[in-house]
Amino acid sequence: MATEAEMNRILSDWQQKVTEWQNAVQAAGTPEAQAAIPAPDVAATAPALWMSVSAQTGNRRETVTRGKGRKRREETVTVPAYEFDQPWALPGIIWFLKHPESLSAAFDEEQQHQVTYYVEALVKALNRVHFANPAIRELCPVMVQNSGVREYELMQKIYNRNQDATTRACAALAMSLMLNNPMVSGVEGSAAMIRGKRIYYLKQALLQGDPSTPFGNSTLGEVAAEQTYRLRYLSEGCIPPRVRLRATDGRSVACPAEGKLNLLLFWTPEEPSGAALAEQVDKLKEKYPDLEVFPIAPFQTPEALQQAVQSVPAMQQSYIDDSKGSAGLAYRVTSIPTSVLISNRSTVLYIGTPGVQLQSALDKALKPQQTQRPRVSIEPAEKEAPVIQPGSQPKPAPPPPAAENDSPPALRDMPEF
């Protein structure tokens, strides 16, 4: 049955299951015991919850865009209307978007082809109806995790048109975080403009929202502090943190090296692509003699390190993080491999997954600078020189004056009148 009361009952039952699971995990004595406690199954809740919000209520008119370029035109079409288009259904939509695998569980095998259609319908309902609801702030951190241009535009709409200050703060923080993603920042112009907007939305989040406001699994204040760190130390043009690493022979090394172009490569022997890159360090140094390369592996005990050096050749020229993972934490490494390119002026040129963008940044950094031509100054001539048009013939010079000892010519006879 598609009713608000039924939806709230199902969501209340789900929250009770989550609370019981969290209490059981906290009461468990060891990590192994905690891992053995099963989390609530979304597949058991999804079908009933979907039934409570998905009934078709009729039809509505919608404007759609057809074609591209000169053939692009807008048309008004008739589309189905559902219960989730109603304002009361927003908590149900939030639950499904928080558990993206749950929507597939709501359909049987023969109906799986409909999942994509209903995902699009839910997102359209957010843009059309639910953006003004203060409760939509719960979706802001979810949209950050799955950020794209469409999600970014939804956050803009919430920020500009929602009347609740706390909700606008969450949307502003979400936009600042989304602009860390190149897929999103590409629509906002130059690097300077993107950085300016990241800072602006971050400030708006702190001005309009309470730092203790929940934001995902953390709070608005804690997430804003993390974004501040990234903007200060890990953004393009910023000076990154300097860390100390241990070489396999026991030496302590400061990283990055001052006055040099540095490439930091965070990798592990267990991850294939990063390990393959670490094995190419010698070739990379040969190709780029001015490049200082730091392959950085996670902490290992002396015994494990000695065994890894013998079995993994790339470990021989790698540097080891400390037991606290200080280097990985300082550079906020969340996935492996991660590369960081730092200029000879100690500023970040690139940070992210090794690939085409890293290669472009590396080529640009090593491109020889054009030598500036010397300035040419034209001194004014002492005497004005005659101007000769191209293609013209200069007049012959006049004959030199007669010498002083030459006699003047004879006078002609006066004519008679």
Side-chain angles (χ1 to χ4, degrees), residues 18-36:
V18 171
T19 302
E20 292 174 354
W21 171 69
Q22 291 175 340
N23 292 337
V25 170
Q26 291 178 358
T30 63
E32 293 77 12
Q34 293 177 346

Side-chain angles (χ1 to χ4, degrees), residues 364-407:
K364 184 178 179 180
L366 292 171
K367 185 178 181 181
Q369 300 293 326
Q370 283 188 340
T371 55
Q372 296 185 352
R373 297 178 180 178
R375 293 184 60 184
V376 178
S377 59
I378 302 177
E379 299 293 338
E382 295 182 0
K383 296 181 180 180
E384 186 177 355
V387 178
I388 301 176
Q389 297 295 334
S392 62
Q393 297 294 330
K395 294 181 179 180
E404 294 181 358
N405 56 356
D406 291 345
S407 58

Side-chain angles (χ1 to χ4, degrees), residues 120-148:
E120 292 295 320
L122 291 175
V123 174
K124 287 181 179 179
L126 295 175
N127 277 282
R128 190 178 61 258
V129 179
H130 302 295
F131 68 90
N133 192 326
I136 202 171
R137 74 171 72 109
E138 291 186 43
L139 272 183
C140 292
V142 178
M143 293 297 178
V144 172
Q145 299 300 321
N146 305 282
S147 60

Side-chain angles (χ1 to χ4, degrees), residues 126-127 130-133 136-137 140 151-176 178 188 197-209 220:
L126 295 175
N127 277 282
H130 302 295
F131 68 90
N133 192 326
I136 202 171
R137 74 171 72 109
C140 292
E151 289 76 14
Y152 180 72
E153 291 175 346
L154 174 60
M155 292 300 106
Q156 284 182 314
K157 193 170 186 178
I158 295 171
Y159 176 75
N160 291 323
R161 300 178 61 178
N162 198 294
Q163 298 299 311
D164 182 69
T166 303
T167 304
R168 291 199 304 273
C170 291
L173 181 57
M175 283 190 288
S176 181
M178 286 179 174
E188 289 290 11
K197 289 196 173 186
R198 290 164 72 188
I199 295 173
Y200 171 77
Y201 287 130
L202 177 60
K203 289 181 178 179
Q204 291 302 307
L206 295 173
L207 288 173
Q208 299 191 45
L220 186 143

Side-chain angles (χ1 to χ4, degrees), residues 271-352:
E271 196 279 319
S273 60
L277 289 173
E279 293 176 358
Q280 303 296 319
V281 169
D282 287 337
K283 294 183 179 179
L284 197 61
K285 290 180 178 179
E286 183 179 348
K287 184 177 180 181
Y288 304 109
D290 297 331
L291 181 65
E292 191 77 20
V293 185
F294 289 91
I296 303 173
F299 171 79
Q300 298 190 35
T301 61
E303 297 78 12
L305 179 59
Q306 184 177 4
Q307 184 177 1
V309 168
Q310 296 175 354
S311 59
V312 183
M315 288 294 295
Q316 298 177 4
Q317 51 191 349
S318 290
Y319 299 89
I320 310 302
D321 202 352
D322 61 23
S323 58
K324 298 179 181 179
S326 301
L329 179 62
Y331 284 89
R332 297 305 191 260
V333 177
T334 57
S335 62
I336 296 295
T338 291
S339 58
V340 185
L341 185 64
I342 303 171
S343 72
N344 55 6
R345 295 184 177 182
S346 298
T347 58
V348 174
L349 299 176
Y350 174 80
I351 181 168

